[in-house]
């Protein structure tokens, strides 16, 4: 947005100069009569002829040197249109840069936002059943990330997360987790995929703050005839499950919405069985203990917090400290998957550009839905910029609960 603002500012200045140039030249050359009619109260005497000429000469000279086409009515009209467009673009950017959906635990802002997204169906149309980023290998990034199917990228992410988190090794060893918790399950895409991957011996339970997501997740499971998964509305910071309930706790992009990251990790650890594994994927901010945030960076973070109802982010290092601080987890590992996932942001925008009619039809005549969709696209681009510049990082964490 800074680049856009700079370009708009320069275009505005140049256009304004060209548009007003003829008037400047005329005004300065007729300065004696103007000062006679409107004497300057500060100056006790009329400007000398020399000073009047010195003020008028530069602009008059420029007006004479410039091609006559630059000061023609046609160019003035075109310049006025350019000015108007520059002003409108600038006002639009200012409006888009104003966050409109801040986090509120009391109002369940997270649940309400996901209810709205679920009802609109635009995200599901563009992203499929998985409301999380995709995975792009080094080779795929070299060939061009947009060549990859965006739905395939999301399934690849789940497979890579299973590999990295040691879940695939458990499957190969025949030690399949019998009870799995999917924290922040969305409309259940990952839960259903895990249910098929792990087989009927496993039961996958997904929790979310959105009732609409639970209804849609259940509907899709029924349509696919998947019996070994279920979905509930439940607060991840205050789960109803007893201690030591699950063999695997899976949390993909849910930590972003948690107001208490420490309690988030502690609750997942509490319901995990001894010897069980926890795997987390979440958006993180840069470790500010190494490099402090500038005021400009803090402003950018505040937008990312308040536009998609995030209370705050923490660093990968902070997550590792929290996991270690539980005293119950061992073999703690972390990684940064920014390179592997960053293509998802603009790929998502490209999907809307490539095939606009379906989502435009979903927006219909509802201005509020149009505005929400436009702001979502803007926030996606802002996320891309934040990850690209190192302000944000894609955190991966895994550990085993001590026996």
């Amino acid at each position: 947005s800074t680049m856009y603002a700079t370009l708009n500012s320069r275009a505005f200045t140049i256009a304004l100069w060209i548009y007003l140039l003829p008037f400047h030249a005329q005004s300065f050359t007729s300065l004696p009569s103007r000062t006679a009619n409107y004497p300057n109260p500060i100056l006790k005497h009329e400007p000398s002829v020399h000073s009047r000429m010195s003020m008028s000469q530069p602009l008059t000279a420029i007006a004479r040197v410039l091609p006559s086409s630059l000061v023609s009515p046609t160019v003035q009209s075109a310049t006025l249109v350019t000015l108007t467009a520059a002003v409108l673009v600038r006002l639009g950017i200012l409006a888009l840069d104003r966050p409109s959906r801040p986090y509120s635990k009391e109002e369940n802002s997270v649940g309400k936002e996901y209810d709205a997204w679920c009802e609109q169906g635009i995200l599901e149309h563009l992203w499929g059943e998985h409301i999380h980023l995709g995975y792009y290998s080094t080779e795929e990034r070299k060939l061009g990330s947009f060549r990859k199917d965006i739905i395939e990228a999301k399934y690849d992410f789940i497979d890579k997360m299973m590999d990295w988190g040691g879940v695939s090794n458990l499957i190969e060893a025949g030690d399949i987790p019998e009870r799995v918790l999917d924290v922040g399950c969305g409309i259940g895409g990952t839960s259903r995929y895990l249910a098929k991957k792990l087989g009927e011996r496993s039961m996958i339970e997904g929790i979310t703050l959105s009732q609409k997501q639970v209804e849609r997740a259940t509907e899709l499971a029924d349509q696919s005839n998947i019996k070994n998964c279920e979905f509930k509305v439940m607060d991840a910071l205050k789960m109803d499950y007893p201690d030591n309930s699950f063999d695997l706790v899976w949390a993909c992009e849910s930590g972003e919405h948690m107001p208490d990251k420490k309690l988030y990790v502690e609750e997942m650890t509490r319901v995990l069985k001894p010897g069980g594994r926890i795997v987390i994927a979440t958006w993180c901010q840069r470790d500010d203990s190494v490099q402090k945030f500038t005021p400009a960076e803090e402003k950018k973070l505040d937008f990312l917090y308040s536009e998609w109802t995030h209370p705050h982010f923490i660093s990968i290092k902070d997550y590792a400290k929290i996991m270690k601080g539980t005293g119950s987890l061992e073999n703690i590992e972390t990684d940064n998957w920014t390179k592997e996932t960053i293509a998802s942001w603009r790929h998502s925008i490209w999907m809307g550009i490539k095939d606009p009619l379906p989502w435009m039809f979903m927006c219909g005549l509802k201005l509020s839905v149009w505005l929400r969709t436009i702001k979502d696209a803007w926030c996606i681009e802002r996320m891309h910029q934040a990850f690209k510049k190192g302000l944000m990082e894609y955190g991966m964490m895994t550990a085993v609960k001590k026996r």
Side-chain angles (χ1 to χ4, degrees):
S1 63
T2 303
M3 178 186 69
Y4 298 145
T6 302
L7 290 175
N8 289 334
S9 177
R10 290 176 179 173
F12 182 90
T13 303
I14 294 169
L16 184 62
W17 174 258
I18 294 174
Y19 183 71
L20 296 179
L21 183 58
F23 302 105
H24 280 312
Q26 181 182 2
S27 299
F28 282 118
T29 54
S30 60
L31 210 147
S33 60
R34 290 173 61 85
T35 52
N37 294 329
Y38 304 99
N40 192 328
I42 298 176
L43 295 175
K44 301 303 181 182
H45 59 278
E46 190 175 315
S48 66
V49 175
H50 175 76
S51 63
R52 290 199 302 270
M53 290 181 63
S54 63
M55 288 187 289
S56 66
Q57 284 174 346
L59 287 172
T60 305
I62 292 174
R64 289 172 179 171
V65 171
L66 288 173
S68 59
S69 58
L70 282 181
V71 292
S72 68
T74 302
V75 170
Q76 288 185 37
S77 299
T79 306
L80 183 59
V81 172
T82 303
L83 278 170
T84 304
V87 170
L88 291 176
V89 169
R90 181 58 182 155
L91 290 175
I93 290 174
L94 290 174
L96 290 171
D97 271 341
R98 182 175 296 175
S100 58
R101 291 172 275 186
Y103 174 80
S104 173
K105 185 176 182 179
E106 292 73 21
E107 297 178 6
N108 186 24
S109 60
V110 176
K112 288 181 179 178
E113 282 302 312
Y114 279 111
D115 279 346
W117 278 322
C118 195
E119 285 184 315
Q120 291 163 13
I122 296 174
L123 285 184
E124 185 177 343
H125 168 73
L126 295 174
W127 294 355
E129 301 177 17
H130 307 276
I131 307 176
H132 61 75
L133 301 190
Y135 187 97
Y136 301 79
S137 67
T138 302
E139 187 63 27
E140 287 167 340
R141 296 196 301 273
K142 287 180 179 178
L143 293 174
S145 302
F146 288 8
R147 293 186 178 185
K148 185 171 185 176
D149 182 85
I150 195 168
I151 308 300
E152 180 187 351
K154 293 175 184 293
Y155 280 112
D156 285 350
F157 181 91
I158 302 172
D159 287 334
K160 294 296 183 180
M161 187 170 171
M162 291 176 68
D163 294 344
W164 185 82
V167 180
S168 297
N169 292 336
L170 294 175
I171 297 174
E172 291 176 4
D175 187 15
I176 298 176
E178 294 183 1
R179 196 176 181 194
V180 178
L181 176 64
D182 184 2
V183 181
C185 62
I187 58 174
T190 298
S191 297
R192 290 186 295 277
Y193 187 69
L194 290 174
K196 290 187 286 187
K197 275 273 188 177
L198 299 177
E200 295 181 356
R201 287 175 51 188
S202 296
M203 183 66 188
I204 290 79
E205 300 176 43
I207 63 171
T208 173
L209 290 173
S210 168
Q211 178 61 42
K212 295 295 182 182
Q213 285 189 331
V214 167
E215 293 170 3
R216 182 59 177 156
T218 303
E219 179 184 14
L220 291 171
D222 291 341
Q223 290 176 4
S224 302
N225 197 32
I226 298 174
K227 305 296 184 182
N228 58 326
C229 65
E230 61 183 26
F231 307 95
K232 300 176 183 178
V233 174
M234 190 181 297
D235 186 351
L237 302 184
K238 192 179 179 181
M239 290 188 275
D240 298 337
Y241 302 115
D243 297 352
N244 309 323
S245 296
F246 296 93
D247 301 289
L248 171 65
V249 173
W250 180 282
C252 182
E253 297 186 11
S254 56
E256 298 87 337
H257 294 296
M258 303 297 166
D260 189 333
K261 314 298 188 191
K262 182 173 180 290
L263 183 58
Y264 169 62
V265 173
E266 290 175 345
E267 267 293 275
M268 291 191 292
T269 303
R270 179 184 68 80
V271 300
L272 185 63
K273 291 180 181 178
R277 181 168 288 276
I278 181 173
V279 189
I280 304 171
T282 186
W283 309 342
C284 298
Q285 64 188 32
R286 188 185 71 223
D287 180 12
D288 66 339
S289 67
V290 176
Q291 182 182 353
K292 293 292 183 182
F293 296 124
T294 65
E297 288 176 329
E298 289 178 346
K299 185 178 180 180
K300 291 176 182 178
L301 282 173
D302 183 63
F303 175 84
L304 300 180
Y305 295 158
S306 302
E307 182 54 36
W308 275 349
T309 191
H310 299 124
H312 66 285
F313 305 129
I314 63 174
S315 68
I316 297 174
K317 183 179 178 181
D318 288 334
Y319 268 109
K321 287 180 180 178
I322 292 173
M323 295 175 80
K324 185 177 180 180
T326 63
S328 301
L329 297 174
E330 60 184 3
N331 301 330
I332 300 169
E333 297 180 33
T334 64
D335 202 357
N336 181 355
W337 280 16
T338 298
K339 289 182 180 179
E340 291 81 0
T341 59
I342 191 172
S344 286
W345 298 111
R346 286 187 171 171
H347 199 174
S348 299
I349 296 175
W350 172 242
M351 293 300 296
I353 294 173
K354 185 176 71 171
D355 187 20
L357 292 181
W359 67 262
M360 291 174 70
F361 179 79
M362 292 176 184
C363 288
L365 300 176
K366 296 179 181 179
L367 180 60
S368 60
V369 179
W370 276 95
L371 292 175
R372 177 191 291 268
T373 303
I374 292 170
K375 290 213 73 173
D376 284 340
W378 183 256
C379 193
I380 288 172
E381 173 59 21
R382 290 290 297 270
M383 279 288 186
H384 170 86
Q385 292 294 333
F387 277 89
K388 181 180 179 180
K389 295 177 181 178
L391 183 60
M392 295 285 292
E393 298 176 339
Y394 199 95
M396 301 294 296
M397 306 92 190
T398 187
V400 175
K401 189 170 182 179
K402 297 177 182 178
R403 296 182 183 274

